Amino acid sequence: MEVELGDLRVIALSDGETAMPVTHLRGPGGDPLSDPELAGADLAGGKLRLPVRCFLVRGRDGCLLIDSGAAEAWHPVLGRLPEAMVEAGVGANEVTLVALTHTHVDHLSGLVGAEGAAFPHAGRILVATEELMAFRAEPRMIPVLPRLQPLEQGDGLIAGVTAVNAPGHSPGHMGFLVEGRLLIWGDLVHHAAVQFARPEVTWAFDEDQDQARATRLALMEQAVEAGWLVAGAHLPDPGIGWIRRAEAGYAFHPVTN
């Protein structure tokens, strides 16, 4: 899926799809959801579907990759980013800049392959200041440590792309606003079939459950008010769409070609 926004093109890239236990969805009290509360969940073999995506933003002054997938470091069905880039007609050498939404395994691992840096012409790897220590502590990242640079709220990446704080899932969790019209938000939502209708529902690996809930509610409402498109690492195909208010929560409407 590709979306044109002014001089920029945003391409959704699939790293694959895995599945997670239903107990990962948590109610406001922190307990797993009950069976009736899971009635609308999108399940595969009794588990929650979890697509994993990265996003490429191409413009006149660079080619920005947002997140790099799981490589072979997590579930074996993931690590498809290189194939997805080939399918999209983008070579690894074209990437001039990488930014991470956060430093969890399915977002940073693809930065390094068997031969070292997976994106040899990416001169900078931008990571939120709050997560620099976590990045440096990951042995896999040793080959790219010289390229590491801090990222803060409001920083520009390439022309038309700005960093937006979205803390809660992790301390420095970031989103990226493209041309003031599309918010790429990382792990704000893990299971769209439940968390749009009930944005108060959190994820087991949200490091600060209350903050993650508040951030999700705030950014969903902001996206509706501003008319932004949204894109997320774990949103259903094609990973980009619109939010609309629906009853007590919201609904996600995927874009179509």
Side-chain angles (χ1 to χ4, degrees), residues 131-151:
E131 303 200 16
L132 292 174
M133 186 177 296
F135 188 96
R136 294 187 178 109
E138 173 51 58
R140 183 188 183 94
M141 295 298 109
I142 290 173
V144 295
L145 285 180
R147 308 180 190 190
L148 183 62
Q149 291 189 10
L151 181 66

Side-chain angles (χ1 to χ4, degrees), residues 76-184:
V77 292
L78 302 177
R80 285 198 66 255
L81 177 61
E83 299 168 48
M85 291 182 67
V86 170
E87 292 167 5
V90 181
N93 287 338
E94 294 180 58
V95 175
T96 56
L97 176 67
V98 179
L100 299 185
T101 58
H102 60 300
T103 54
H104 288 174
V105 64
D106 52 326
H107 297 264
L108 65 73
S109 299
L111 284 171
V112 177
E115 305 300 320
F119 307 102
H121 294 164
R124 294 183 294 154
I125 297 171
L126 301 179
V127 174
T129 300
E130 296 88 344
E131 303 200 16
L132 292 174
M133 186 177 296
F135 188 96
R136 294 187 178 109
E138 173 51 58
R140 183 188 183 94
M141 295 298 109
I142 290 173
V144 295
L145 285 180
R147 308 180 190 190
L148 183 62
Q149 291 189 10
L151 181 66
E152 298 278 356
Q153 161 79 12
D155 283 354
L157 287 79
I158 60 175
V161 182
T162 305
V164 177
N165 282 345
H169 177 62
S170 67
H173 188 252
M174 281 282 184
F176 301 96
L177 187 60
V178 182
E179 291 289 2
R181 297 162 58 190
L182 165 63
L183 179 65
I184 299 173

Side-chain angles (χ1 to χ4, degrees), residues 20-73:
M20 302 296 281
V22 295
T23 52
H24 281 10
L25 288 173
R26 303 293 175 87
D31 295 324
L33 298 186
S34 65
D35 287 345
E37 291 175 304
L38 289 166
D42 183 13
L43 302 178
K47 292 187 174 183
L48 303 166
R49 292 184 186 275
L50 189 79
V52 177
R53 303 185 195 282
C54 309
F55 296 90
L56 194 78
V57 184
R58 303 183 79 171
R60 293 177 179 175
D61 66 343
C63 184
L64 164 67
L65 179 66
I66 296 175
D67 289 340
S68 62
E72 77 293 343

Side-chain angles (χ1 to χ4, degrees), residues 195-199 220-221 224 243-253:
Q195 288 182 290
F196 278 100
R198 295 190 58 198
M220 282 186 175
E221 186 59 24
V224 170
I243 303 177
R244 297 286 184 264
R245 292 191 185 91
E247 299 179 359
Y250 302 89
F252 176 68
H253 300 279

